[in-house]
């Protein structure tokens, strides 16, 4: 598969390969979280062997494997649609996520081998990749970033306790405001900024940014960029109980 509808894309430097990896990863994370309803629908078990592809453009696609042998790039896991209705949805998504991680690494290492990365380049590339949570960690809610021995789990707990101590009007408003609260002069509470700066979005896996709206799922208690789950601050004001795409899909009635 190419870079997502255009000419084949061949990154040649460590930075280019990492950008390629990051874009493909973002697309696959989107398929398994924010776009999970559409992804589930496209993985019809009645169809032929299907694969999940991620593109450098941060888009994703469910399609048949490449016909050429050998393929231009390593191919992702084949037949992900066959197991869709044979196991719990969360377990199926986790399985697809694991295979997605394996494919992403194989593509990155393929580029490294093809363009002659030496030991130092390969180490630097892997270090950059390893700083990101895996697709599996994001999809299952286990994404962690070890900074000063703090985990995201404790971060989320601190966020909720801190947020609840701030006088914020109604209960629904308290749930959908930003993770960090600004003081009277528009600045950020330094203690809260230090604590919550390592919080990761449950959809894209990226860190908290003080100028972005975040929302917390009332079921799994994971935090999300509003833009990643298509929720605006205005829309959030009218939501009594927010469920992220993954939690919503898990409640869907099965045929």
């Amino acid at each position: 598969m190419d870079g997502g509808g255009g000419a084949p894309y061949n990154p040649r430097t460590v930075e280019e390969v990492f950008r390629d990896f990051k874009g493909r990863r973002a697309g696959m994370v989107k398929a398994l979280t924010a776009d999970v309803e559409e992804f589930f629908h496209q993985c019809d078990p009645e169809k032929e062997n299907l694969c999940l592809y991620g593109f450098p453009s941060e888009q994703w696609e469910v399609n048949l494997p490449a016909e050429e042998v050998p393929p231009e790039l390593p191919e992702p896991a084949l037949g992900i649609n066959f197991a869709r209705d044979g196991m719990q949805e969360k377990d199926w998504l986790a399985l697809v996520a694991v295979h997605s991680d394996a494919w992403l690494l194989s593509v990155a290492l393929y580029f490294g081998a093809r363009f002659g990365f030496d030991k130092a380049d390969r180490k630097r590339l892997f270090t950059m990749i390893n700083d990101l949570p895996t697709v599996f960690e994001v999809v299952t809610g286990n994404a962690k970033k070890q900074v000063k021995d703090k985990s995201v789990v404790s971060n989320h707990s601190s966020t909720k306790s801190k947020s609840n101590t701030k006088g914020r009007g109604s209960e629904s408003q308290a749930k959908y405001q930003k993770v960090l609260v600004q003081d009277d002069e528009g600045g950020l509470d330094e203690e809260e900024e230090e604590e919550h700066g390592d919080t990761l979005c449950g959809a894209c896996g990226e860190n908290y940014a003080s100028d972005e709206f975040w929302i917390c799922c009332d079921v799994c208690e994971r935090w999300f960029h509003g833009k990643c789950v298509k929720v605006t601050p205005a829309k959030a004001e009218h939501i009594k109980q927010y469920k992220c795409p993954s939690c919503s899909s898990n409640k869907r009635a099965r045929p």
Side-chain angles (χ1 to χ4, degrees), residues 172-189:
S172 61
Q173 288 176 328
K175 290 180 181 178
Y176 307 119
Q177 292 184 3
K178 293 181 181 179
V179 177
L180 300 187
V181 182
Q182 293 185 339
D183 60 26
D184 294 338
E185 297 180 355
L188 294 174
D189 185 309

Side-chain angles (χ1 to χ4, degrees), residues 79-113:
I80 58 172
N81 51 315
F82 295 147
R84 192 194 73 176
D85 294 339
M87 55 198 305
Q88 292 290 325
E89 182 172 326
K90 64 181 180 63
D91 295 330
W92 174 66
L93 292 173
L95 179 64
V96 176
V98 168
H99 285 291
S100 298
D101 283 318
W103 178 68
L104 289 169
L105 285 172
S106 69
V107 172
L109 294 177
Y110 164 82
F111 283 130

Side-chain angles (χ1 to χ4, degrees), residues 69-199:
V69 178
E72 181 182 350
L73 290 177
E75 285 291 304
L78 183 68
I80 58 172
N81 51 315
F82 295 147
R84 192 194 73 176
D85 294 339
M87 55 198 305
Q88 292 290 325
E89 182 172 326
K90 64 181 180 63
D91 295 330
W92 174 66
L93 292 173
L95 179 64
V96 176
V98 168
H99 285 291
S100 298
D101 283 318
W103 178 68
L104 289 169
L105 285 172
S106 69
V107 172
L109 294 177
Y110 164 82
F111 283 130
R114 178 176 178 181
F115 297 113
F117 287 7
D118 59 19
K119 181 178 180 180
D121 287 338
R122 293 194 301 270
K123 183 177 181 179
R124 186 155 63 95
L125 174 61
F126 182 77
T127 298
M128 296 167 73
I129 290 173
N130 202 39
D131 282 340
L132 294 174
T134 64
V135 177
F136 175 81
E137 288 173 332
V138 174
V139 170
T140 60
N142 293 325
K144 297 179 180 179
K145 186 173 182 181
Q146 296 178 351
V147 179
K148 298 180 181 179
D149 297 325
K150 293 180 180 179
S151 68
V152 174
V153 174
S154 63
N155 240 336
H156 285 167
S157 177
S158 298
T159 300
K160 283 191 170 290
S161 62
K162 283 277 185 182
S163 299
N164 290 337
T165 61
K166 304 285 182 180
R168 293 198 198 170
S170 69
E171 179 181 354
S172 61
Q173 288 176 328
K175 290 180 181 178
Y176 307 119
Q177 292 184 3
K178 293 181 181 179
V179 177
L180 300 187
V181 182
Q182 293 185 339
D183 60 26
D184 294 338
E185 297 180 355
L188 294 174
D189 185 309
E190 292 183 1
E191 181 180 354
E192 288 192 353
E193 184 173 7
E194 179 180 353
E195 286 188 6
H196 309 314
D198 300 323
T199 299

Side-chain angles (χ1 to χ4, degrees), residues 9 11 14-30 54-59 104-105 107-108 125 128-129 131-133 135 204-207:
Y9 173 66
V14 171
E15 289 72 21
E16 288 176 342
V17 172
F18 178 66
R19 284 197 297 270
D20 180 272
F21 174 93
K22 195 174 180 180
R24 293 177 189 275
R25 171 187 169 279
M28 302 181 98
V29 167
K30 186 186 298 183
F55 299 117
S57 59
E58 299 188 6
Q59 300 302 309
L104 289 169
L105 285 172
V107 172
L125 174 61
M128 296 167 73
I129 290 173
D131 282 340
L132 294 174
V135 177
C204 69
E206 297 295 327
N207 289 83

